[in-house]
Amino acid sequence: MRTLAIECATEACSVALFDGETVLDSAHKVLGRGHAEQLVPMIAALPDRGQAQRILVSLGPGSFTGVRIGVAAAKALGFAWSAQVLGYPTLSLVAAMAMSDFEWPALTVCMTGGHGEWFVQHFTGDGAAGPAVSLSPAAAEAQDRRLPLAGSQAPEFAALVGNREAHFLLPDASRANLLPPAILTPAVAPIYGRGPDARLPG
């Protein structure tokens, strides 16, 4: 089975086409902004224009716009190709990458959030040890579990809490084969990780 993986929930935008567990081709760009313009051409540049029987897409939390773009693209392609569409939490991919690269039995993932906050989630070899939460740096320090750190804000977190192994890491669609099958969900909807900034008047 061919699988297209889409990851654009953070400042990175990446796609990968798998045949089983083998990566046929992939692309990874650190954009900051511009996911809407870059994602579809990146998919189209893959073999057979990225067509697959299954699509994996990052659900967040992360960039509000990036998450929505990825989910919308995955659903549209799934409809066009009659493909199965499954979602996964973004921080779970970062955790899987870090555990594979550094052989950590447990870690804290710390990613860029909104309004100066960080998305923080703890993981063990059994999976997430609780939900991803959006915290100020001070609140993240107060909830620190003294685990190794990975993610886009890992170096900043390490500087705050003192000497700690930490690696800057952005999610990469070409590593989506590391995801535990149990976390893949057919309920493909964004995970925002924090409440909306705009609120209806009371």
Side-chain angles (χ1 to χ4, degrees):
M1 175 185 288
R2 283 195 173 186
T3 298
L4 171 67
I6 297 172
E7 174 56 72
C8 58
T10 69
E11 52 266 52
C13 183
S14 60
V15 297
L17 184 64
F18 295 84
D19 187 354
E21 294 294 308
T22 302
V23 180
L24 298 178
D25 197 7
S26 66
H28 183 278
K29 298 179 180 180
V30 179
L31 301 173
R33 297 179 180 271
H35 295 66
E37 295 78 16
Q38 293 288 332
L39 178 60
V40 172
M42 288 170 68
I43 294 171
L46 296 171
D48 299 322
R49 301 182 66 82
Q51 187 162 354
Q53 292 81 44
R54 186 177 73 152
I55 300 171
L56 304 182
V57 62
S58 177
L59 301 178
S63 160
F64 178 81
T65 302
V67 170
R68 294 177 67 192
I69 289 166
V71 167
K75 287 183 173 180
L77 292 174
F79 179 79
W81 298 339
S82 298
Q84 179 187 32
V85 181
L86 300 170
Y88 64 88
T90 306
L91 275 63
S92 291
L93 178 55
V94 176
M97 291 168 57
M99 286 182 172
S100 176
D101 291 347
F102 311 120
E103 299 183 349
W104 292 342
L107 76 152
T108 296
V109 174
C110 183
M111 302 293 293
T112 304
H115 300 282
E117 293 189 346
W118 298 337
F119 292 120
V120 179
Q121 192 170 17
H122 309 292
F123 291 85
T124 69
D126 296 326
V133 291
S134 182
L135 301 172
S136 68
E141 181 182 14
Q143 297 186 26
D144 180 38
R145 297 191 182 182
R146 305 208 58 79
L147 297 171
L149 301 165
S152 57
Q153 292 295 331
E156 287 76 7
F157 199 166
L160 188 65
V161 298
N163 187 31
R164 185 81 55 83
E165 187 174 1
H167 294 275
F168 177 90
L169 204 59
L170 292 173
D172 189 337
S174 70
R175 312 289 300 281
N177 57 343
L178 297 174
L179 289 165
I183 71 167
L184 304 179
T185 176
V188 179
I191 302 170
Y192 293 123
R194 65 192 305 272
D197 296 325
R199 300 183 185 277
L200 293 174

